[in-house]
Amino acid sequence: MLNRTYENQICSIARALEVVGERWTLLILRDAFLGVRRFDDFHTSLGIARNVLADRLHLLVDHGVLERVRYHQHPERFEYHLTPAGRELLTVLVALMRWGDRHRAEHGPPRVAEHAGCGGEVVEQLACTRCHQLVHPGGVQTRAGPGLRPVP
C-alpha cells in the first residue's frame, strides 16, 4: 500500500492529495454531490469493499470534508453530508469530469453539469481576482508564498 502522506513535499497539492488523492475518495465525493448520503447507498453505488468505504468516509469526516449526521437513534444510523470545505471540491470534480469528457469519453459525456437556475452548462475556468479576466493555462505562473520553507 502506498503512503498517504508526503512529508517531504512543501506543497498544497500534496497536502490536498493526503485527503482526496485515493481513487475511491473522489468517487465517494462524486456520489455525495449526486445526493448519496447513507453508507449502504455508497456501497451499492460504488461496489467498494465495506472496510475500504468505512475507512474513506472516516478520513473525509476527520478532515472536515464530510460530516456525520444522525438520522435514526435505535439502531443508531448516520448520513454523510458535505461540509462547506467538501462543497468547495465541486470545482475540482467538474474540472476532472470535463477533462475526462474531452480525453476519455469515447461516446460523449456520461453526465453534463448544468446550472440549476437556467440550465446552462457549467464549466471550469481560471480567472484573475484583480482584473477579472479569464486566464488560459499558459498565462498562469507561480511564485513562492508565505508557507514555503526549505525542506529539512
Side-chain angles (χ1 to χ4, degrees):
M1 183 167 158
L2 296 174
N3 287 338
R4 287 191 187 173
T5 61
Y6 302 93
E7 289 99 12
N8 294 328
Q9 296 289 315
I10 308 302
C11 172
S12 294
I13 295 171
R15 296 286 89 78
L17 286 174
E18 291 175 355
V19 179
V20 299
E22 195 277 331
R23 69 182 187 133
W24 287 113
T25 303
L26 291 176
L27 297 178
I28 290 167
L29 291 171
R30 174 205 63 194
D31 281 5
F33 278 106
L34 292 173
V36 176
R37 300 282 179 265
R38 297 181 179 176
F39 184 94
D40 286 338
D41 295 335
F42 282 111
H43 181 257
T44 299
S45 172
L46 297 168
I48 183 175
R50 295 177 81 79
N51 64 317
V52 174
L53 177 58
D55 181 54
R56 299 307 177 266
L57 289 170
H58 183 75
L59 178 80
L60 290 168
V61 168
D62 281 353
H63 287 282
V65 175
L66 294 175
E67 64 179 339
R68 283 179 52 166
V69 177
R70 185 188 343 246
Y71 71 89
H72 196 271
Q73 286 201 348
H74 299 293
E76 193 170 49
R77 301 265 189 227
F78 293 89
E79 291 184 332
Y80 295 88
H81 294 199
L82 289 160
T83 64
R87 287 190 293 276
E88 283 184 40
L89 288 166
L90 181 58
T91 305
V92 174
L93 292 178
V94 167
L96 279 172
M97 181 181 78
R98 292 193 34 93
W99 184 90
D101 291 345
R102 287 189 299 272
H103 301 287
R104 305 297 298 169
E106 294 178 23
H107 304 290
R111 299 187 79 75
V112 178
E114 295 180 342
H115 178 216
C118 74
E121 189 174 2
V122 173
V123 298
E124 74 289 3
Q125 293 185 327
L126 300 171
C128 177
T129 61
R130 181 178 292 165
C131 69
H132 308 287
Q133 290 185 6
L134 295 182
V135 181
H136 296 284
V140 176
Q141 63 186 21
T142 65
R143 63 175 175 75
L148 186 64
R149 60 190 188 284
V151 177

